């Protein structure tokens, strides 16, 4: 079997559990009990050893899939010569956060989930349900259930039970539900290849449920699965709210992309802590054949500022507040111990230590397969500015946030920046080879000082303001004198370089370090357009760097940064053109990975990628606001007063 392209995968999930489902009906990636735990299916990382759970017609067929409108419920439709059938995949969501019961209506059906204790409620969510329906004619489906515990390091044993099969490996179990009166024919348990297989024949109007339950058999075998499906649809639609149609001047296509991005983010949010991982997968390569394969199932501090903006812009105040609480806890740590990334439960050390899984070949035979991330103990000075900016942003959106409660911790962070801003670090791209004075890190140190001063002044909070102002001035002087290259006509990746250009320079006007009309800002944008940007508006991260070789694959978030910088420059037509172009690179389901091949449109890197979807939300809302002010502006008609900054002051 070949590896499906990432564009052929959909993602389903709930409260920090996700699964990738291929267009051919195979679940090829899933971890239980949480996203950061070991996989039970990992065929996306090794087509032979990884494990999967597939249902698809036994006859030749064509297939396509779509999400049920405004939900994370996935429908895959199969066409054969004899008929048509649909497989509906979803992870159930109990109504509310506490054990108990919930009631509601959707599609004309009542639903209710009742649990005796918290354990039942948790197990309810450790499941994937699959509904097979024959729409016309007749269709025979084949089923293959091949779990592989602990990243395929443990081969299961199987036990037949009345309503299915239980797979066990070490202290873990996975229950395959087939029903007590199953139409499944020729159910076979093969111990030699550790696979359960069978067929089921459906005629027009027939329906059959199957699914898996992690850690036990109940309540999968005892609940009303049809009502559960209806309730899950209702949950997603209720969470999105009652917004009908695109707001303001936002085109419907943009609005649909924003809604899908919201739903992706909600899939990734960990319900216990509010943390948001960078992506749902590990080790999908940034380039086929390269060793740039990283585990992204952790929460990066640097994502905070963009996350806060996106959640509040889309009206999800509760999630924004929970995320605030998560990184506010991080901020209370000794600044010297703050790390760039954490587990979704806030852990460091062994919980995120990197190891290589030599027994897995990697996506499209590109390894190594890594779990954990060695960037965790790096010094990345940008994290401090990110924390201060995110807290600052949250206060702007929600005046009820008691900034006084976190002020001591925030003041310690700003003091730390005063003492350490002029040190070398690993930078935003987490270079493992060497440390430099990266411009982005210095910019975020300036942000920490600037926003700290503003927060202290506006809230009458105690702070060594003169010392902070002196340090802020010193950082500004260093950036302006050592970070700009006259020969390149641009701010550069690190101090002292003449030619190394980095897309992070686009953030200088976005963070209000310099006004967008500054000649150096405009020449930097022009240099990015000339040297980093494709004709379609896709932006690579850097070029001509001594730290690492150039990358050919554009980084999607950088494309959204360029769009935002163009908006600030009032180059609205080009910003709109590029935004429309980037939308074309989404998968048919509206999903983005980390990178994209501009020649083939192939998605690359971990998938789906939170950073890409955050960038889309922010650029769509930001560009729409600007277009409401100036609906018809040529790139030459520059008037910075027409647009506000992305991060409000």
């Amino acid at each position: 079997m070949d590896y499906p392209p990432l564009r052929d995968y959909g993602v389903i999930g709930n409260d920090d559990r996700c699964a990738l489902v291929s267009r051919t009906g195979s679940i090829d990636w899933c971890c239980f009990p949480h996203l950061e735990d070991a996989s039970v299916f990992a065929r996306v990382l090794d087509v032979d050893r990884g494990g999967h759970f597939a249902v698809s017609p036994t006859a030749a067929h064509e297939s396509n899939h779509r999400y049920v409108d405004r939900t994370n419920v996935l429908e895959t439709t199969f066409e054969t010569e004899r008929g048509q059938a649909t497989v509906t995949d979803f992870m159930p969501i109990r109504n509310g956060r506490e054990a108990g019961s919930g009631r509601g209506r959707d599609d004309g059906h009542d639903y209710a989930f009742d649990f005796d204790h918290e354990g039942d409620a948790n197990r309810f969510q450790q499941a994937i349900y699959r509904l097979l329906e024959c729409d016309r004619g007749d269709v025979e489906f084949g089923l293959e259930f091949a779990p592989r515990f602990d990243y395929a390091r443990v081969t299961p044993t199987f036990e037949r039970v009345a309503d299915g099969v239980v797979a066990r490996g070490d202290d873990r179990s996975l229950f395959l539900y087939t029903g007590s009166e199953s139409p499944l024919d020729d159910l076979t348990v093969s111990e030699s290849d550790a696979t359960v297989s069978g067929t089921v024949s459906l005629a027009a109007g027939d329906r059959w449920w199957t699914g898996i339950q992690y850690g036990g058999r109940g309540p999968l075998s005892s609940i009303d699965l049809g009502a559960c499906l209806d309730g899950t649809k209702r949950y997603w639609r209720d969470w999105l709210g009652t917004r009908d149609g695109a707001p303001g001047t936002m085109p419907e296509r943009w609005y649909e992309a924003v809604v899908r991005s919201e739903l992706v983010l909600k899939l990734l949010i960990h319900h216990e802590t509010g943390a948001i991982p960078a992506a749902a997968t590990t080790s999908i390569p940034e380039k086929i054949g390269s060793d740039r394969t990283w585990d992204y199932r952790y929460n990066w501090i640097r994502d905070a500022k963009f996350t806060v903006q996106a959640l509040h812009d889309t009206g999800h105040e509760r999630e924004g507040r929970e995320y605030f609480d998560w990184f506010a806890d991080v901020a209370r740590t000794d600044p010297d111990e703050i790390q760039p990334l954490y587990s979704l439960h806030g852990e460091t050390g062994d919980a995120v230590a990197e190891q290589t899984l030599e027994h897995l070949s990697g996506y499209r035979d590109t390894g190594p397969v890594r779990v954990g991330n060695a960037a965790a103990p790096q010094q990345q000075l940008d994290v401090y500015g990110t924390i201060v900016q995110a807290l600052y942003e949250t206060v702007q959106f929600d005046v009820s946030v008691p900034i006084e409660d976190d002020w001591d911790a925030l003041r310690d962070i700003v003091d730390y920046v005063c003492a350490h801003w002029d040190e070398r670090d690993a930078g935003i791209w987490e270079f493992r080879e060497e440390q430099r004075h990266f411009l982005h890190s210095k910019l975020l140190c300036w942000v920490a000082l600037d926003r700290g001063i503003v927060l202290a002044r506006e809230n009458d909070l105690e702070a060594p303001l003169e010392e902070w102002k002196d340090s802020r001035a010193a950082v500004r002087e260093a950036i302006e004198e050592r970070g700009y290259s006259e020969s390149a006509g641009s701010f550069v990746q690190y101090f002292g370089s003449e030619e190394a250009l980095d897309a992070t320079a686009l953030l200088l006007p976005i963070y209000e370090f310099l006004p967008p009309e500054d000649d150096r800002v405009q020449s930097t944008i022009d240099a990015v357009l000339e040297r980093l940007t494709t004709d379609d508006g896709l932006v690579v991260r850097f070029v001509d760097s001594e730290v690492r070789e150039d990358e050919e694959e554009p980084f999607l978030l950088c494309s959204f940064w360029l769009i935002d910088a163009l908006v600030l420059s009032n180059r609205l037509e080009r910003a709109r053109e590029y935004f429309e172009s980037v939308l074309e690179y989404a998968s048919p389901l509206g999903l983005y990975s980390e990178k994209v091949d501009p020649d083939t449109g192939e998605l690359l890197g971990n998938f789906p990628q939170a950073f890409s979807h955050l960038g889309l939300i922010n650029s769509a809302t930001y560009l729409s606001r600007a277009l409401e002010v100036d609906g018809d502006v040529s790139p030459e008609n520059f008037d910075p007063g027409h647009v506000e900054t992305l991060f409000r002051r």
Side-chain angles (χ1 to χ4, degrees):
M1 173 184 167
D2 295 331
Y3 288 90
L6 294 182
R7 299 177 65 84
D8 280 3
Y9 280 105
V11 61
I12 58 174
N14 62 17
D15 288 344
D16 180 50
R17 278 161 289 273
C18 289
L20 296 187
V21 186
S22 76
R23 190 163 54 84
T24 58
S26 181
I27 298 174
D28 290 346
W29 175 253
C30 185
C31 301
F32 282 123
H34 296 294
L35 186 69
E36 60 191 334
D37 289 313
S39 65
V40 296
F41 303 123
R43 182 151 71 171
V44 72
L45 296 178
D46 192 311
V47 73
D48 297 316
R49 302 182 187 89
H52 62 281
F53 176 27
V55 288
S56 61
T58 57
H61 58 271
E62 295 182 355
S63 63
N64 60 75
H65 52 192
R66 70 176 189 93
Y67 284 109
V68 176
D69 186 45
R70 295 169 61 83
T71 76
N72 281 313
V73 175
L74 184 66
E75 291 183 343
T76 307
T77 300
F78 296 94
E79 294 267 3
T80 72
E81 286 189 357
R82 295 177 57 90
Q84 174 182 297
T86 299
V87 177
T88 301
D89 288 306
F90 68 101
M91 286 190 181
I93 299 176
R94 61 186 162 111
N95 190 33
R97 299 255 174 133
E98 303 299 329
S101 64
R103 294 186 179 277
R105 285 186 63 81
D106 184 64
D107 297 337
H109 300 288
D110 291 318
Y111 65 90
F113 312 137
D114 295 287
F115 307 107
D116 293 332
H117 50 76
E118 183 69 21
D120 283 343
N122 287 335
R123 284 197 300 275
F124 173 76
Q125 292 184 289
Q126 308 287 340
I128 299 174
Y129 300 163
R130 317 194 74 176
L131 170 62
L132 283 64
E133 299 177 280
C134 186
D135 306 316
R136 60 175 173 79
D138 57 83
V139 178
E140 181 186 70
F141 277 91
L143 176 148
E144 285 189 354
F145 174 63
R148 300 292 184 267
F149 296 112
D150 194 20
Y151 301 112
R153 288 182 288 200
V154 176
T155 301
T157 59
F158 297 99
E159 177 189 358
R160 296 282 292 268
V161 293
D163 51 355
V165 178
V166 178
R168 292 190 174 88
D170 292 343
D171 59 346
R172 310 178 81 192
S173 68
L174 196 64
F175 168 51
L176 169 66
Y177 173 73
T178 61
S180 56
E181 298 180 359
S182 173
L184 197 63
D185 298 321
D186 304 321
L187 182 63
T188 302
V189 177
S190 174
E191 297 290 351
S192 60
D193 62 2
T195 300
V196 177
S197 60
T199 60
V200 58
S201 296
L202 302 177
D206 288 345
R207 309 171 88 220
W208 180 62
W209 285 95
T210 186
I212 56 171
Q213 178 83 50
Y214 177 79
R217 294 174 59 190
L220 179 67
S221 59
S222 60
I223 65 173
D224 183 336
L225 295 176
C228 181
L229 172 58
D230 293 338
T232 300
K233 293 176 185 177
R234 178 184 177 88
Y235 170 87
W236 291 118
R237 290 164 178 161
D238 286 350
W239 180 80
L240 282 172
T242 57
R243 292 168 292 165
D244 295 322
T249 62
M250 185 180 291
E252 185 66 25
R253 183 185 181 209
W254 299 12
Y255 179 68
E256 291 175 358
V258 168
V259 167
R260 179 49 50 196
S261 294
E262 291 178 65
L263 289 166
V264 169
L265 292 180
K266 180 58 174 171
L267 279 182
L268 295 173
I269 294 174
H270 193 292
H271 76 287
E272 294 177 2
T273 65
I276 304 177
T281 58
T282 179
S283 301
I284 307 297
E286 296 179 19
K287 177 181 180 180
I288 303 303
S290 81
D291 63 354
R292 299 198 303 273
T293 53
W294 318 113
D295 192 347
Y296 276 10
R297 296 171 298 156
Y298 305 106
N299 195 143
W300 266 258
I301 294 294
R302 76 168 58 94
D303 296 4
K305 56 188 177 293
F306 301 103
T307 303
V308 167
Q309 182 84 16
L311 288 173
H312 283 281
D313 271 343
T314 51
H316 301 301
E317 286 82 8
R318 187 183 73 180
E319 284 76 12
R321 185 60 181 267
E322 289 172 349
Y323 192 62
F324 168 88
D325 291 341
W326 184 88
F327 63 78
D329 284 342
V330 172
R332 298 183 189 105
T333 308
D334 183 333
D336 195 47
E337 297 178 0
I338 292 176
Q339 296 194 350
L341 64 97
Y342 292 80
S343 81
L344 302 181
H345 291 84
E347 301 162 318
T348 58
D350 290 345
V352 296
E354 185 171 296
Q355 59 178 302
T356 299
L357 304 182
E358 303 286 355
H359 63 288
L360 295 176
S361 64
Y363 177 72
R364 292 180 56 184
D365 298 320
T366 296
V369 172
R370 294 180 169 100
V371 293
N373 199 301
Q378 286 184 346
Q379 172 164 286
Q380 296 178 22
L381 292 171
D382 61 337
V383 301
Y384 303 105
T386 296
I387 292 172
V388 179
Q389 176 69 43
L391 292 168
Y392 172 85
E393 279 290 295
T394 302
V395 170
Q396 304 304 303
F397 283 114
D398 186 353
V399 296
S400 69
V401 172
I403 188 64
E404 297 82 3
D405 292 353
D406 297 294
W407 182 245
D408 287 346
L410 206 62
R411 185 177 56 208
D412 289 344
I413 288 175
V414 180
D415 286 339
Y416 184 88
V417 171
C418 286
H420 296 274
W421 72 264
D422 59 348
E423 297 177 0
R424 296 170 180 258
D425 74 338
I428 185 175
W429 308 130
E430 300 178 344
F431 296 120
R432 299 189 177 192
E433 295 82 6
E434 60 178 297
Q435 296 188 340
R436 299 250 176 160
H437 291 290
F438 289 104
L439 180 132
H440 177 264
S441 297
K442 308 308 181 190
L443 171 62
L444 267 295
C445 286
W446 179 88
V447 168
L449 293 158
D450 182 71
R451 303 319 191 247
I453 291 168
V454 173
L455 286 169
R457 186 177 62 240
E458 291 184 351
N459 295 278
D460 195 25
L461 298 167
E462 182 180 349
L465 289 180
E466 292 307 313
E467 180 183 350
W468 290 5
K469 289 177 182 178
D470 289 344
S471 292
R472 181 179 63 177
V475 178
R476 172 177 289 280
E477 181 180 3
I479 291 175
E480 294 193 26
E481 292 189 359
R482 301 169 62 191
Y484 187 81
S485 166
E486 293 290 347
S487 61
S490 174
F491 285 94
V492 288
Q493 184 181 56
Y494 48 85
F495 287 177
S497 173
E498 290 298 323
E499 297 297 331
L501 188 59
D502 194 302
T504 54
L506 294 166
L507 297 173
L508 286 161
I510 292 173
Y511 280 120
E512 301 175 275
F513 179 82
L514 288 171
E517 65 269 26
D518 187 285
D519 289 343
R520 292 164 297 177
V521 169
Q522 289 302 303
S523 64
T524 296
I525 294 173
D526 290 338
V528 169
L529 288 169
E530 179 181 352
R531 296 173 57 195
L532 296 181
T533 308
T534 70
D535 292 341
D536 291 336
L538 298 173
V539 180
V540 298
R541 291 192 288 185
F542 50 83
V543 295
D544 296 327
S545 174
E546 295 177 1
V547 183
R548 198 165 71 196
E549 70 276 4
D550 291 354
E551 299 175 358
E552 300 174 355
E553 308 79 32
F555 193 85
L556 285 162
L557 178 63
C558 295
S559 303
F560 294 119
W561 287 347
L562 174 59
I563 292 164
D564 297 339
L566 290 171
V567 171
L568 269 177
S569 301
N570 219 17
R571 307 189 197 187
L572 298 185
E573 287 192 358
R574 179 170 281 194
R576 176 161 44 189
E577 173 191 344
Y578 283 169
F579 187 79
E580 291 278 0
S581 176
V582 175
L583 289 182
E584 296 292 335
Y585 287 93
S587 78
L589 292 172
L591 306 178
Y592 287 96
S593 62
E594 178 182 27
K595 291 186 170 185
V596 65
D597 185 318
D599 296 324
T600 65
E602 180 181 13
L603 297 176
L604 300 166
N606 285 302
F607 177 85
Q609 175 84 2
F611 236 178
S612 299
H613 287 280
L614 288 168
L616 184 149
I617 291 171
N618 289 335
S619 290
T621 54
Y622 191 34
L623 179 55
S624 295
R625 290 192 201 113
L627 290 171
E628 288 177 1
V629 176
D630 264 318
D632 186 17
V633 178
S634 66
E636 294 78 20
N637 183 15
F638 178 79
D639 183 357
H642 286 179
V643 289
E644 63 179 7
T645 54
L646 180 61
F647 299 121
R648 298 176 181 82
R649 291 296 297 270

